Amino acid sequence: MRSKIVAGNWKMNKNLAETEALLTELAAKLPDTQAEVMVAPTFVNLAAAVHTLDSSVIEVIAQNMHFAESGAYTGEISADMLLNIGIDTVIIGHSERRAYFGETDEILAKKVKAALAKNMRVMFCFGEELDDRKSDNHFKVVESQLKNALFSLEASDWGKIVLAYEPVWAIGTGETASPEQAQEMHAFIRKTITEAYDASIANNVSILYGGSVKPANAVEIFGKPDVDGGLIGGASLVADDFVAIIKAI
Ligand code: PGA
C-alpha cells in the first residue's frame, strides 16, 4: 500500500530562530491526517529541527547528501551524518541541484545507491523542462531520468523509494501543471515502472507532485488517483498555507 505524503522543501530559507518558530507553529496547527508530513530545512538547522519536533509526528528530512561515506569533500554531508542526528529520509535529484550544481543522472544514481545502502528512504525528484514539454518530449525525458537513476535498483529497494514528479516549468513560477497533466504523467510513470519491474512495485510506490502547489489548487491535484501527495516549496514556508495543503490531502 502506498502512503500519502506531504513534504515541505524549505530550500535555502529560514535561519535558526525562524526554523524553530515555524516548526513550533506547524506542530501546534498540524491537522489530524493519515498522510506522512515531512519538512526539509537547510542543513545547518537540521539538528535543531529534529529537537524542536521531538514530540511531533512531523518528520525532518534532508534536501541533499553526498554519495561518499566520508572524506575530502569540502562542503558536503554524508548519509551517516544525517542518520547520526536522526534523519533517515533524503531528497535526491531536485531540479535545482541538477540545474545549478551540475548533478547528472550518473551522480544521482550514485547518491540513491549510497542512501539505500544505509537503509535511508529516498525522495527522488525528476521532471521535464518547458522546452521538453513544448517539443512533446516530456514523457521521453521523464522515462530516461527514471531509467538512468533508478532502474538498476533491485526490486527490493523500491520499498525505500518515493518519487516526486516536478515539472521544472512549474517550480517557483506560480504556474502549475493542471491536475490532468499531473495525472497523465503519474500514470505514465507507473506504466514505465511496471514495464521495468512489475505492477506491484509500480502500484506501491508513492508518487508526489511538485511545482507551485498552493492551498487553492491542492485539493484538485491530490484528488487525482495516481497523485499520492506533494512536494511543496514556497507554500511550505507559511504555516497556515502548509497546513491547508495537508488538510487537502
Ligand atoms: P514550489 O517548489 O512549490 O515553490 O514551486 C516546489 C519544489 O521545488 O519542490
Side-chain angles (χ1 to χ4, degrees), residues 2 4 177-184 186-187 190 207 209 217-229 248-249:
R2 55 199 203 230
K4 302 270 185 202
S178 67
E180 292 70 31
Q181 285 173 321
Q183 169 57 29
E184 182 186 36
H186 286 217
R190 283 196 215 282
I207 309 178
Y209 168 80
N217 58 27
V219 170
E220 259 201 294
I221 294 172
F222 294 165
K224 292 296 176 188
D226 285 302
V227 177
D228 303 309
I249 201 147

Side-chain angles (χ1 to χ4, degrees), residues 41-60:
T42 181
F43 280 123
V44 283
N45 296 325
L46 285 180
V50 170
H51 181 68
T52 304
L53 292 177
D54 238 359
S55 54
S56 170
V57 295
I58 302 172
E59 181 185 354
V60 180

